[in-house]
Amino acid sequence: MLSRRQTLRYLGIAAGGMLFNVPLIGRGQQSTFETALNIPDMASGSVVEEARQFDLTLQSGRTELLPGQFASTYGINGSYLGPTLRLNRYELSRFSVTNNLAEDSSLHWHGFHLPPTEDGGPHQPIAPGTTWNARFQVVQYGGTYWYHSHVMHKSGEQVYKGLAGMIIVDDEEHPQDLPSTYGVDDIPLILQDRRFDDEGELRYLNRYQDIVMGMMGDTILVNGTFQPQFRPSTRLVRFRILNAANARTFNLALNDGRPFQQIAGDGGLLSSPVTMNSLQLAPAERAEIVVAFNPGDSTELVSLGRDIPASAPPGAMNEMLRIINSERFRLLSLNAESRLADSGTVPDSLVAIYRIPEAAATNTRRFNLMMGSGMRSGEDRGPGDGPRNGTGGGSGGGNYFINGRQMAIDYINERVTLNTTEIWELRNRSPMMHPFHIHNGQFQLLDRNGTPPPDNEMGWKDTVRVDSGEVVRLIMRFTDYTDENNPYMYHCHILEHEDRGMMGQFVLVNS
Ligand SMILES: [Cu+2]
């Protein structure tokens, strides 16, 4: 086994323990965050023939991501990211997506229950110069969702360049008292980390560890804004937070330690607000939080470094994780105006959530999440326990598996019967966390390592963190859209893992 020093040298890590060439977060750690936070335009579409119609164009462009420097980027109806789409529950929505890029792309509606042909995944690529039409009825609860490229093998690069945006679903059962004026006291926060070269161009996968860990940058953008500031003008502000990073998990907190209330997760409101001091948000997860301000208040949204377990075993992989997880950095400066308007309240009770009883499940499926072991100092876990499910270790770093298989576009991994409830048991047999996402709607967590989930994970979810060594059980009901020929995806939402095999397909069938 390599010593720690040898391991570091092997990885090109400087003796000081810094993994990257520039310290995290490299750009602007010392400076003040003064640029006004960009608020993405809101698109409500137009109602045509009883459907809400959106016209979306995937395009390339040049965007001033860093001050005075322009990067080649992708966007939807713009050069970077896309408008916030506003949908209504129970309404039919239609999307015309025109691809003006020079390569295949797609748009996936993340978190939505819909027919598989409308999902915008790897089976619905949009060729350059063509238009894809999708339509589905919105049945999701009011909440914060998103859309992003999901094209085979290139989701990571395309999302990184900017093909992502937020979706807000409105729901009449939504409590009226919550702050809900978009851009005033209801603020989207799309969190992303990026890496730039000296000219301000985006760099992608230019280091070996990007493939293993997923692409993590040293510079944070919020809604595409570098070093942003938001100035609350109301006493309560609701932030709709979307982790749209390719691979980075944020450990969100306010730097003065003030608590906040989490009111919603991936699939809508929680049953009641949960008071928190920090909130872990993995790639693709969403959370809505409400923060209280006094006139003239200043605080900052930050990502805290996490404590590193003293028991962490040696090895290159663990060294990289240790460094990444211990980073603390700034996200958004918050400076309240000297006069603040009242802006609603947070009710003690938000919405009734029906808990799917475990006894309703008629089937349990098990999913082992595994990584190639090339980064694990040659360790061989032996037959039956290795990344290839029986052939032992040595499949090489940078390859990812679910149940020993890599995603193959023409292979259906699972067949699920219509109108059944299933338990999916996710077992992470790799050294790093994987956020597991299932298409076609929302599920509920049953437990983590046999323990009931924390209060803020008791709502509907479509993406769940599965930590190294952890067993997460979720329960999901499969309804409505049978299709023998068109599958849904399930996958790790670290996009480089997804692009390199950590994805599978299921069809929903009549029997
Ligand atoms: Cu992963």
Side-chain angles (χ1 to χ4, degrees):
M1 184 182 288
L2 294 173
S3 70
R4 180 169 177 273
R5 169 172 287 186
Q6 285 169 321
T7 301
L8 294 178
R9 193 182 300 135
Y10 168 63
L11 284 167
I13 297 170
M18 194 54 72
L19 179 61
F20 304 99
N21 292 341
V22 283
L24 278 137
I25 291 302
R27 293 183 191 253
Q29 261 313 267
Q30 306 306 319
S31 40
T32 52
F33 281 38
E34 293 177 334
T35 308
L37 175 72
N38 173 58
I39 304 293
D41 290 344
M42 194 166 74
S44 298
S46 52
V47 176
V48 181
E49 293 168 6
E50 296 183 357
R52 192 165 289 275
Q53 166 77 32
F54 294 86
D55 295 310
L56 303 174
T57 302
L58 314 183
Q59 58 194 78
S60 59
R62 303 277 293 163
T63 307
E64 187 180 359
L65 293 177
L66 297 178
Q69 294 186 313
F70 284 78
S72 294
T73 54
Y74 285 175
I76 303 111
N77 296 359
S79 73
Y80 188 75
L81 298 177
T84 297
L85 308 182
R86 198 107 200 193
L87 308 182
N88 292 312
R89 188 168 188 218
Y90 300 128
E91 225 175 47
L92 184 64
S93 287
R94 262 205 302 258
F95 306 88
S96 289
V97 185
T98 299
N99 181 5
N100 282 347
L101 303 172
E103 60 177 338
D104 281 8
S105 189
S106 83
L107 275 189
H108 164 60
W109 323 105
H110 183 116
F112 287 86
H113 177 57
L114 37 55
T117 51
E118 315 305 299
D119 193 36
H123 291 275
Q124 290 88 41
I126 313 170
T130 67
T131 297
W132 174 63
N133 292 295
R135 52 182 280 161
F136 60 90
Q137 191 189 20
V138 176
V139 296
Q140 254 48 62
Y141 295 111
T144 303
Y145 304 83
W146 66 308
Y147 60 108
H148 60 82
S149 165
H150 207 312
V151 74
M152 189 75 172
H153 297 310
K154 295 202 83 171
S155 300
E157 184 173 3
Q158 293 193 355
V159 171
Y160 190 77
K161 285 183 169 176
L163 286 188
M166 184 176 282
I167 300 175
I168 296 175
V169 173
D170 290 310
D171 180 346
E172 284 184 359
E173 288 170 43
H174 196 283
Q176 300 297 308
D177 299 348
L178 289 169
S180 57
T181 307
Y182 185 78
V184 176
D185 60 10
D186 186 348
I187 307 296
L189 298 179
I190 301 174
L191 308 182
Q192 298 176 310
D193 56 335
R194 293 293 181 264
R195 186 187 301 152
F196 294 93
D197 68 11
D198 291 342
E199 278 71 52
E201 288 281 1
L202 289 167
R203 301 302 306 272
Y204 183 68
L205 295 191
N206 60 322
R207 294 176 193 167
Y208 176 68
Q209 64 263 26
D210 301 339
I211 292 171
V212 180
M213 312 299 296
M215 180 68 207
M216 296 199 211
D218 57 24
T219 303
I220 304 294
L221 302 176
V222 184
N223 302 344
T225 311
F226 173 68
Q227 295 182 2
Q229 165 179 237
F230 177 71
R231 303 212 59 177
S233 60
T234 57
R235 289 183 177 275
L236 292 184
V237 179
R238 168 202 213 157
F239 294 102
R240 297 176 185 263
I241 308 176
L242 159 63
N243 184 346
N246 281 36
R248 185 180 289 281
T249 294
F250 295 95
N251 194 16
L252 301 168
L254 294 156
N255 75 333
D256 55 5
R258 80 177 65 187
F260 52 87
Q261 289 180 294
Q262 184 176 349
I263 58 169
D266 296 338
L269 292 169
L270 302 170
S271 58
S272 52
V274 180
T275 301
M276 320 264 294
N277 288 102
S278 68
L279 164 62
Q280 229 182 103
L281 209 63
E285 284 189 305
R286 288 88 64 205
E288 296 178 24
I289 67 170
V290 175
V291 182
F293 293 92
N294 288 312
D297 256 1
S298 279
T299 186
E300 228 172 61
L301 185 67
V302 298
S303 184
L304 300 173
R306 275 180 280 155
D307 291 339
I308 309 306
S311 61
M317 186 79 214
N318 287 303
E319 185 62 17
M320 288 196 283
L321 290 169
R322 192 190 67 76
I323 292 167
I324 284 164
N325 289 338
S326 60
E327 290 157 3
R328 176 193 171 102
F329 46 84
R330 303 162 69 183
L331 296 167
L332 173 68
S333 173
L334 295 163
N335 301 298
E337 303 282 4
S338 54
R339 289 187 184 182
L340 298 180
D342 286 327
S343 60
T345 57
V346 179
D348 292 337
S349 174
L350 295 169
V351 72
I353 294 180
Y354 168 75
R355 295 290 302 175
I356 307 174
E358 186 173 337
T362 52
N363 190 25
T364 296
R365 284 173 212 266
R366 293 181 176 82
F367 298 89
N368 289 322
L369 312 181
M370 298 174 282
M371 298 172 69
S373 61
M375 292 299 288
R376 302 198 67 196
S377 305
E379 179 187 353
D380 186 335
R381 308 182 76 188
D385 200 26
R388 282 187 178 156
N389 243 12
T391 59
S395 62
N399 285 293
Y400 306 90
F401 307 83
I402 298 174
N403 288 346
R405 290 196 70 98
Q406 291 188 291
M407 165 76 179
I409 194 86
D410 56 356
Y411 183 84
I412 301 300
N413 303 76
E414 308 288 338
R415 292 170 65 87
V416 178
T417 305
L418 180 70
N419 291 331
T420 58
T421 299
E422 295 202 351
I423 293 169
W424 285 22
E425 184 179 298
L426 316 173
R427 185 178 296 265
N428 184 347
R429 298 188 163 197
S430 83
M432 70 180 290
M433 185 279 293
H434 302 282
F436 193 87
H437 170 49
I438 305 175
H439 287 215
N440 193 26
Q442 302 287 322
F443 51 74
Q444 292 177 348
L445 298 195
L446 288 175
D447 45 43
R448 292 181 171 279
N449 285 336
T451 304
D455 290 345
N456 72 316
E457 288 190 324
M458 290 292 274
W460 294 98
K461 287 187 66 59
D462 55 55
T463 307
V464 59
R465 282 183 296 107
V466 188
D467 283 317
S468 176
E470 192 174 30
V471 180
V472 171
R473 291 196 316 144
L474 60 85
I475 190 164
M476 187 165 180
R477 181 139 180 89
F478 295 87
T479 58
D480 294 319
Y481 305 116
T482 55
D483 191 329
E484 283 276 352
N485 301 312
N486 291 287
Y488 298 103
M489 305 294 122
Y490 55 88
H491 60 92
C492 174
H493 222 289
I494 291 178
L495 296 178
E496 287 67 36
H497 294 181
E498 173 201 320
D499 282 342
R500 296 177 70 89
M502 206 172 218
M503 179 156 65
Q505 315 195 68
F506 71 96
V507 285
L508 184 54
V509 295
N510 285 309
S511 62

